Amino acid sequence: MHDITDALSQSRVFAGSTAEMVARVAEDVEPELLVGGHVLFRQGDEGDDAFVVLSGRLRVEREGPDGPVLVRELARGDLVGEFALLTGQRRTATVTAIRDSELGRIRRARFDTLLLGQPALAVGISRHLATLLAASPPPPGTGMRRPSVVVLRGAVPSVDLMPAATGLANALRAHGDVAVVDHARAMAALGDGSSVGQVDAGQALALARWLHEVEGRHTVVLCLASSTHPSWDAACLRQADLIVEVLPAARLAEIPDRVTTSFGGCRQELLVLHDEVRSPVRGTARWMARRPYDRRHHIRGGRAAEWARVARHLHGISVGVAFGGGGARGLAHLGLLRAMQTLGIPIDEVGGTSIGSLIAAQWAAGMTLDEMAERQRDGWQRIAPHRAYTVPTIGLVRATALDEMLRANFGDLDFEDCWIDAFTCSANLTAARTHLHRQGLVRHGCMASMAIPGIGPAFAHPDGSLHVDGAVVNNLPADGLRSGVVIAADVSAHAMRASGYPETPTGWQVLRDRLRPGHAAPYYPSLVDTILGSVLLGGAQQAERAHAVADVVFAPPVGAIGLFDFARLSEAEAIGYEHAMATLGPWWSQRLSTHAGVP
C-alpha cells in the first residue's frame, strides 16, 4: 500500500492533493503485472478502467498516415486511460509496456465514485487533460524519456561485455550514479536465481520491483545480458529502455544472423569497439541494414572522450553542429572547428549543406584540421571542380572533377563507417523534397549536396533519383541534427554586393571594364555568382528557422569573400576562428558553470 501511495503522490494529477486523499485513492488501486511487449489497450477499444504506473515504462502511440506515432512515454506516477473514462469515448491511443511494468488498476465503478467524492481529484485530472490537449504534437522522438535502464548485449556470440560496461559506466558517472547489474547480482538479490527471467508473474514482478528499487538509487542502470543464461537474457530485454549491442570491430565482416527481439519496441543501437585508434572501418552498413538499430557508435582504442560521447547521447546533451553552405565562405567553418577544439567543446554529430557537407564529412571521417585544410586547398586549387568547364548541355562544369576531389577525400567510405554521426543535405528533384543522406557512400552524399543547379549537372543517385545542392531547400540543416545541443554555423552572407553600374550593363560592357588596364572595374556578379547567390537566397528562410532552434549561432563576417574565392582559405579560417572564440567562448563558459563542469 505504501508503494502505491508513493507512486500516486508523484503524479501530476494528484499535485496539491492531501495525504489523506491520496491514501483513499490508493485503497481502490489493484496492483497487477503487464509483461514487457504486451498491450494494455488499443486505440479504438472501449474504455473501462484507468491505470497508474507503479514501476516500469509504457509507450503511448496513435495511428498516423505512415504508421504508429509516439505520443509520449509513461513512467512511475503517470496516469493512463482516464480520458476514456471521463468522456465515455473509445481509447484514443494504444498503450504498450516497454518493459515489465507494475500497474495499479482503478475500476470504472470505483473511478466514478472517487470523482464524486473527491472534487479536488476531478479538478486535478481535468487540468492534466487540458494540458495534454492544449499541447502541440511533439516532434518525432521527443516524447521519449531518457533511458534509465540500458541493456548491454553481445551482437555476436562470445562477446566480453566488461570493457564496454566499464568504459560506459565510467563516462556515465560524470552525470550521476550508475549501477551495473548482471545475472549474479540479480540472483544474489532475488534469492534462488534459477528462474530469473522466466515469464512467471511472481518472479517477473519481483524482478521488476527490485529493478525499480535499484533505479531509484541510480541515474542509470546498466544490465549485462548473458548468452549463457537465456532466461536472464530475456528478462534484460523485457526491462530495457534501450538495448545496446556490442560488436568487436574485428567481427564486422561477419554476416548478421539474427534480429534482436525488443519486447517493448524500445530503441536498439550498435556499439563497435575498435582496438586501433585509426583503424579503417568497413562493414557497418551491413549490420545497420540487417538489424533494427537506430544509431551506431564507434569507440576507438577505449578512449574516454569517445565513451563520454555515448554518455552525452544517452543523457540527451550531445552536441551537434550544422554547417551551412556559402561557397568559399564555408572555409570559415575550419576556424569554427579549431575554436571548438581550443575551447574544449565536444562534437558528437555533424551535418551540412553544399560546402558545409564537405566540411562535415571530413570531420566525421576523422581527419585532423590540418589535413582538412590541406585537402580543401588541394581540391579547390589543383582539381578546381568549379572551373572544370565543359560543353553546357547539362551544366557549365563537368561532374567528374568534383567526383575526383571527393574520391581523394573519402574513397569508398560509408556514412555508417564514419567515426561520428553525419549527414549531408540535398534537394531531391525526383521526390520534390529535402533529402538527408545518412547511409551509403559519403562521396555520393556530398556530390548530391554540392550539385549547384545551372552550374553543375544534377547528381544521379544509384537509386535513380536526381539531386541538386541542398541550399535550394535548406542551406543550414540544423533541424536534421538529432543532438540535444545544436550549433548552427551560417556562412551564407545572403546579401550580395550592390551593382557598380547605374543600370544593367551588357556583357560586353562588363568584359571591357574588366580588361581595361589600370582601372578598377565596377562590381557586377558573374553568371556563376548570380546562380549561386540565388540558390543561397532560396534557403534563407529555412536558415532563419535554424537560427531560432539553435542553442548558439555562428555567423562570421565573411561577406567580403567571394563565393568562389577559394584561394583565401587562410583568411576565411582566421575570420571564423576569431568570431567563434568571441561567440562560442562565453556561451560555453556559461554552460559549463550551469552544468557544474559537465559538458
Side-chain angles (χ1 to χ4, degrees), residues 157-182:
S158 305
V159 175
D160 181 7
L161 296 176
M162 286 311 300
T166 301
L168 186 53
N170 289 339
L172 287 168
R173 288 190 179 103
H175 307 272
D177 294 328
V178 180
V180 179
V181 176
D182 58 9

Side-chain angles (χ1 to χ4, degrees), residues 93-163:
T94 298
V95 178
T96 308
I98 295 176
R99 51 166 132 136
D100 289 355
S101 302
E102 186 177 10
L103 307 179
R105 180 188 292 267
I106 306 175
R107 300 285 179 181
R108 180 170 195 142
R110 293 299 305 153
F111 190 85
D112 292 340
T113 302
L114 284 171
L115 292 182
L116 290 174
Q118 305 288 345
L121 175 60
V123 171
I125 292 177
S126 299
R127 287 175 177 169
H128 173 62
L129 292 177
T131 300
L132 293 178
L133 292 172
S136 301
T142 56
M144 294 185 293
R145 294 175 182 260
R146 178 183 55 78
S148 57
V149 176
V150 179
V151 172
L152 295 181
R153 191 171 191 247
V156 291
S158 305
V159 175
D160 181 7
L161 296 176
M162 286 311 300

Side-chain angles (χ1 to χ4, degrees), residues 153-154 156-159 161 224-233 258:
R153 191 171 191 247
V156 291
S158 305
V159 175
L161 296 176
L224 307 188
S226 171
S227 58
T228 59
H229 300 284
S231 60
W232 167 247
D233 187 75
R258 63 176 171 82

Side-chain angles (χ1 to χ4, degrees), residues 248 297 442:
H297 308 276
V442 171

Side-chain angles (χ1 to χ4, degrees), residues 68-276:
V69 176
L70 176 65
V71 177
R72 64 185 183 280
E73 290 185 356
L74 304 174
R76 180 176 173 81
D78 286 331
L79 197 63
V80 60
E82 72 282 16
F83 186 82
L85 296 189
L86 288 172
T87 63
Q89 298 177 357
R90 294 181 179 273
R91 301 293 192 187
T92 59
T94 298
V95 178
T96 308
I98 295 176
R99 51 166 132 136
D100 289 355
S101 302
E102 186 177 10
L103 307 179
R105 180 188 292 267
I106 306 175
R107 300 285 179 181
R108 180 170 195 142
R110 293 299 305 153
F111 190 85
D112 292 340
T113 302
L114 284 171
L115 292 182
L116 290 174
Q118 305 288 345
L121 175 60
V123 171
I125 292 177
S126 299
R127 287 175 177 169
H128 173 62
L129 292 177
T131 300
L132 293 178
L133 292 172
S136 301
T142 56
M144 294 185 293
R145 294 175 182 260
R146 178 183 55 78
S148 57
V149 176
V150 179
V151 172
L152 295 181
R153 191 171 191 247
V156 291
S158 305
V159 175
D160 181 7
L161 296 176
M162 286 311 300
T166 301
L168 186 53
N170 289 339
L172 287 168
R173 288 190 179 103
H175 307 272
D177 294 328
V178 180
V180 179
V181 176
D182 58 9
H183 179 253
R185 181 171 175 182
M187 288 178 61
L190 297 174
D192 180 10
S194 60
S195 61
V196 168
Q198 295 180 1
V199 187
D200 169 84
Q203 185 68 38
L205 186 57
L207 178 61
R209 287 175 173 172
W210 173 71
L211 187 61
H212 172 70
E213 293 176 1
V214 176
E215 278 186 88
R217 300 191 301 272
H218 300 85
T219 306
V220 176
V221 179
L222 289 181
C223 287
L224 307 188
S226 171
S227 58
T228 59
H229 300 284
S231 60
W232 167 247
D233 187 75
C236 286
L237 295 180
R238 292 202 314 275
Q239 300 295 342
D241 296 326
L242 171 67
I243 299 169
V244 177
E245 293 204 324
V246 180
L247 178 67
R251 303 184 68 174
L252 270 171
E254 297 183 19
I255 304 297
D257 58 357
R258 63 176 171 82
V259 174
T260 305
T261 300
S262 176
F263 288 91
C266 71
R267 289 182 293 131
Q268 300 178 51
E269 299 180 357
L270 176 66
L271 195 153
V272 185
L273 295 180
H274 300 263
D275 292 330
E276 300 297 329

Side-chain angles (χ1 to χ4, degrees), residues 287-307:
W287 286 81
M288 299 297 291
R290 294 282 294 270
R291 299 271 181 93
Y293 298 129
D294 292 307
R295 304 185 84 153
R296 87 287 178 276
H297 308 276
H298 291 287
I299 302 297
R300 292 174 284 185
R303 290 179 173 181
E306 306 218 340
W307 286 114

